[in-house]
Amino acid sequence: MSPLNLGNQQPKTPLDADHAWRATAARAGDTVLFFDFDGTLAPVDDDPTAVQPAPKVLAALEALAPVVQRVAIVSARPVDFLRDHLGGLAGIDLYGLYGLEHSHSGGETVTEPAALPWVPTMAELADQARAELPAGTLVEFKRLSVALHWRTAPQLGAQVERWGREQAERLGLKVQAGRMVLELKPPVDRDKGLVIGEVVRDAGGAWYFGDDVSDIKAFAALRARAAADPDFLGVCVAVANPETGQEVAEAADLTIDSPAALGDFLTAALPHLTGESVG
C-alpha cells in the first residue's frame, strides 16, 4: 500500500505536502483535484453574494486544469454562481447545490430530474422564511434549496436552526448544517460524498480541499476509494476556520490556514506537477 493511501485510517503524523505532490505528479493525468468554494477558494463574507476567490486561486486553477485529468468545484452554490465567480475558466467541471446541478468544462447546466418538482416548494419556503424569521436572518433562495444564514446575528442561531428543522420535518426536506447556516434541500440522494465517489471510480488519484462539515463526506469518499484500491492516491485537505475548522482538520491529512494560503499552496504545487525545478 502506498504510504499516502490512508484508507479509513487517520494519518499518525502530518502528511508532507511536497512528497504528496511528487507522488501525484507520477499520475497527474489520472488525478482529479476537487475544491469546495466558500471558505476554501473564497473567504466567507457576511454577504454571501459578495464573496470572491482569494488572490492567486483563479490563476492556479487555470494552470492546473491542463495538467491533471480534471479540476472540479463541488459546492453548495448554484452552478451559475460558480461560473460567474470563476471568471469563465475553461476546462473546469462545476457541481452545484451539492451535486443537484452540474456543468462539465463550460457546457450547459444539467439539473438532477428528481429535484425539479421541488422548485415551487423551495420558493414558497423562502417567502415564508423572510416573513417569519427575525430581522438579521439572511434567507438565500437557490432555486433548489434555501439557506438560512445568521452570520451577522449569531444570537439568532438557535432560533433560526429550530425553525429550519421544523420546516424540514413538515415538508420532508433534507437538512445540511454549515458555518452559521442551515440549508434545506429536496429529499434527493445527492451530496458531496456521492459526487466524489462517482467521479473517482476510474481515477488513479484525487485531492479534495474543503472547510466545512459537508466536506467530511467528500473526505470519506476518497478514503473509501483508497481502501478498495491500494494503487489509488487520495489526499484530504482542510482549510482552517474558527467555526468548523477543528472538526474538519481532524478528518484531513493536511491543513491550510486560509483561502489566501490555498492560492499560494497551489502555486507552489505547479512545479512538482509540471516537472519544473523547485527552489
Side-chain angles (χ1 to χ4, degrees):
M1 176 179 291
S2 162
L4 299 179
N5 183 342
L6 302 171
N8 292 317
Q9 301 299 314
Q10 297 298 323
K12 292 183 174 62
T13 57
L15 195 62
D16 180 82
D18 286 345
H19 175 48
W21 283 122
R22 286 194 297 270
T24 299
R27 66 189 76 200
D30 202 23
T31 294
V32 184
L33 303 180
F34 296 99
F35 300 88
D36 173 46
F37 184 80
D38 289 282
T40 301
L41 297 181
V44 172
D45 193 277
D46 288 349
D47 178 358
T49 67
V51 300
Q52 294 294 333
K56 300 185 181 180
V57 161
L58 294 185
L61 294 182
E62 186 173 30
L64 286 165
V67 176
V68 297
Q69 182 187 84
R70 180 181 301 184
V71 171
I73 314 302
V74 188
S75 172
R77 297 286 197 165
V79 163
D80 285 349
F81 176 95
L82 296 173
R83 187 181 288 116
D84 290 345
H85 284 70
L86 291 172
L89 288 180
I92 308 291
D93 291 346
L94 305 176
Y95 294 87
L97 303 175
Y98 303 96
L100 293 178
E101 297 179 337
H102 66 267
S103 170
H104 294 301
S105 298
E108 66 176 333
T109 299
V110 178
T111 301
E112 183 72 25
L116 284 173
W118 291 89
V119 172
T121 300
M122 293 301 169
E124 292 171 5
L125 178 63
D127 289 340
Q128 182 184 354
R130 294 186 185 102
E132 296 183 4
L133 287 172
T137 309
L138 191 153
V139 178
E140 185 184 8
F141 173 56
K142 304 182 186 179
R143 189 173 73 102
L144 294 174
S145 72
V146 175
L148 309 173
H149 300 263
W150 57 88
R151 177 167 297 279
T152 60
Q155 72 279 6
L156 299 178
Q159 180 182 352
V160 174
E161 187 167 0
R162 182 170 58 252
W163 186 93
R165 292 187 182 278
E166 288 173 354
Q167 300 308 315
E169 184 174 357
R170 177 178 68 86
L171 295 169
L173 303 175
K174 286 189 171 185
V175 169
Q176 176 65 60
R179 295 175 59 182
M180 304 186 82
V181 61
L182 189 77
E183 188 150 7
L184 283 69
K185 309 183 294 180
V188 177
D189 197 18
R190 299 296 291 165
D191 60 37
K192 291 184 177 183
L194 290 170
V195 170
I196 274 65
E198 292 170 0
V199 176
V200 300
R201 282 175 185 165
D202 300 319
W207 291 58
Y208 186 94
F209 298 80
D211 75 305
D212 210 342
V213 291
S214 63
D215 298 307
I216 294 175
K217 290 183 178 180
F219 292 170
L222 288 194
R223 297 194 188 285
R225 177 73 174 86
D229 180 358
D231 294 324
F232 181 86
L233 183 139
V235 183
C236 305
V237 184
V239 179
N241 67 83
E243 292 146 9
T244 60
Q246 189 59 37
E247 183 178 1
V248 180
E250 289 175 353
D253 306 315
L254 291 168
T255 301
I256 294 174
D257 290 340
S258 66
L262 175 60
D264 293 330
F265 181 79
L266 296 176
T267 301
L270 280 166
H272 291 300
L273 296 182
T274 60
E276 299 175 9
S277 61
V278 180

